[in-house]
Amino acid sequence: MYTLLRSILFCFPPEAVHHLSMNMLRFACRIGFIRKMMARHFQAKGVQPYQLWNLTFPNRVGLAAGFDKNAAYLRELETLGFGSVEIGTVTPLPQPGNDQPRVFRLPKDKGLINRMGFNNEGVKAAAERLRAYRGHGSKLIIGGNIGKNKVTPNEEAWKDYEICFRELADCVDYFVVNVSSPNTPGLRALQEKESLRQILTHLQVINNERQQPLPLLLKIAPDLGNAELDDVADLALEIKLDGLVVSNTTISREGLTTDAEKVKAMGAGGLSGAPVRQRSTEVLKYIISKTQSRIPVIASGGIFTAADAKEKIDAGACLVQVWTGFIYEGPAIAKKIATSI
Ligand SMILES: Cc1cc2nc3c(=O)[nH]c(=O)nc-3n(C[C@H](O)[C@H](O)[C@H](O)COP(=O)(O)O)c2cc1C
């Protein structure tokens, strides 16, 4: 059924389809009995909640950052059975992101290339929506993925992360510091050890002033080499980071079956989906071994099926997140995976 719908949806530009389908879902969810029917249909039944960082995840399948950048579709995504949603990446000020088109499908490879560039309505808008949503007693776990504005120089990036942290601290369950998107010029240089130390320890100081500090995680790129991964692992252990998200999209274009000229014409951006799965799992395994499983990891990268999710869990991940898999597999993906892991 979804295969047919997907072949129709894939005739239209990805961003337009994204907005259209989410708005149709929102419309359906406004009608109480339809939402209840959908929730019953998409909920993973008989699944044990998962405890981590003093949080109770209804199931282990989350929606990765970048899908609901502005926290605009939380009820709809909860209805589809996700145990968690990572909102963002949000930045202090609203920004339009890169020019369109900026998302491209690679159906032959079950992948996507995107260069969105942190388009978002700004952290304040997301915080307002989150507060309103939180008022309704939902069990959905919400992560706040935070970044810096394009115009902020790297030396001052820590200030942007602080602004986002303070604004969201009373309305998310955990934080993810994103320094691994390939679409903000220079951002990934912040993955260097001393830059990371500055940003993360600064946030930890602010976090520790809170009565209940929130789990603070770092999201890394799959393109880091072993020496850089060693730095991340050492730092994470040294500063007692609460967790890592492994991984973001890749800048590599290796091993694709899509025509090379077509891929080239799509231009710069992060590649996600099936082509990033293997590398992402390699990085996951490396990090788990380097940290001796002492830092919980959320796995993201190429998860389409329960088997893909199991691969990540077997490699040591605590939770999994999907993004591109949602586009290719359809709305039942959370349920299908959550009931099998
Ligand atoms: C269109 C698009 C936008 C994304 N935006 C963000 C983002 O804003 N912040 C972020 O941390 N990751 C972002 N990601 C990366 C995803 O969260 C995820 O880590 C990555 O796509 C790998 O997972 P996947 O193979 O399941 O898609 C984005 C991915 C896509 C496809």
Side-chain angles (χ1 to χ4, degrees):
M1 167 82 169
Y2 181 71
T3 318
L4 176 67
L5 178 63
R6 188 182 66 197
S7 52
I8 299 167
L9 294 176
F10 274 24
C11 297
F12 301 94
E15 263 196 80
V17 170
H18 182 84
H19 294 299
L20 179 75
S21 24
M22 289 316 289
N23 287 332
M24 278 169 62
L25 186 60
R26 174 184 288 161
F27 181 72
C29 284
R30 280 202 182 130
I31 306 165
F33 82 93
I34 295 188
R35 180 166 51 83
K36 282 188 190 133
M37 260 171 47
M38 283 173 53
R40 252 199 308 276
H41 178 73
F42 287 113
Q43 236 43 237
K45 291 171 195 84
V47 171
Q48 285 295 321
Y50 188 79
Q51 303 283 340
L52 184 64
W53 305 302
N54 258 336
L55 298 171
T56 304
F57 289 77
N59 64 59
R60 293 214 264 180
V61 185
L63 186 62
F67 193 96
D68 191 9
K69 286 180 185 278
N70 299 302
Y73 300 110
L74 295 168
R75 184 168 71 164
E76 292 71 19
L77 295 166
E78 188 171 13
T79 303
L80 294 185
F82 287 101
S84 56
V85 172
E86 201 172 295
I87 66 107
T89 299
V90 291
T91 55
L93 299 172
Q95 59 178 31
N98 292 319
D99 292 342
Q100 297 195 30
R102 52 193 178 179
V103 190
F104 306 87
R105 301 186 191 97
L106 293 82
K108 280 188 187 157
D109 289 292
K110 288 192 156 184
L112 292 174
I113 287 177
N114 92 83
R115 53 168 169 280
M116 302 294 282
F118 290 171
N119 57 306
N120 76 107
E121 294 170 16
V123 68
K124 275 194 178 10
E128 251 168 55
R129 289 200 187 101
L130 284 164
R131 275 184 210 113
Y133 190 68
R134 288 301 213 185
H136 291 96
S138 140
K139 288 188 176 149
L140 184 72
I141 296 291
I142 299 172
N145 183 304
I146 55 178
K148 74 163 194 78
N149 278 113
K150 186 177 175 183
V151 292
T152 306
N154 274 5
E155 306 74 58
E156 287 172 25
W158 61 273
K159 293 184 191 165
D160 278 15
Y161 288 94
E162 173 178 348
I163 293 169
C164 293
F165 185 96
R166 288 193 188 279
E167 198 66 52
L168 289 180
D170 65 348
C171 44
V172 295
D173 297 300
Y174 69 89
F175 273 104
V176 177
V177 171
N178 182 11
V179 285
S180 49
S181 163
N183 303 316
T184 295
L187 185 81
R188 297 187 335 155
L190 296 174
Q191 289 181 114
E192 178 271 320
K193 196 174 184 180
E194 290 318 308
S195 309
L196 277 182
R197 188 196 300 280
Q198 184 193 28
I199 294 169
L200 294 172
T201 53
H202 181 66
L203 291 179
Q204 281 180 322
V205 170
I206 302 166
N207 199 15
N208 287 331
E209 286 164 4
R210 292 176 55 81
Q211 222 167 27
Q212 279 188 316
L214 294 162
L216 184 67
L217 287 73
L218 170 72
K219 183 166 180 177
I220 62 171
D223 306 313
L224 297 179
N226 287 357
E228 294 160 308
L229 291 174
D230 289 345
D231 280 350
V232 168
D234 289 345
L235 182 69
L237 288 169
E238 182 196 323
I239 67 170
K240 298 192 170 57
L241 201 64
D242 297 293
L244 292 163
V245 182
V246 182
S247 69
N248 214 314
T249 55
T250 177
I251 53 167
S252 162
R253 299 291 188 260
E254 256 171 53
L256 295 175
T257 45
T258 306
D259 181 66
E261 280 306 308
K262 272 192 189 162
V263 175
K264 200 172 161 201
M266 291 173 190
L271 173 64
S272 60
V276 78
R277 196 195 88 230
Q278 197 185 339
R279 176 61 192 156
S280 184
T281 305
E282 274 168 21
V283 172
L284 172 67
K285 285 182 177 163
Y286 192 87
I287 285 286
I288 294 283
S289 118
K290 278 281 156 187
T291 57
Q292 295 167 323
S293 305
R294 298 215 302 268
I295 311 269
V297 178
I298 301 180
S300 156
I303 301 172
F304 286 60
T305 63
D308 299 333
K310 271 193 190 128
E311 176 183 279
K312 307 282 190 188
I313 303 271
D314 291 346
C318 299
L319 297 160
V320 297
Q321 292 181 337
V322 299
W323 203 126
T324 308
F326 187 25
I327 306 301
Y328 281 89
E329 299 293 314
I333 188 169
K335 176 185 178 174
K336 281 186 192 158
I337 296 179
T339 43
S340 312
I341 55 172

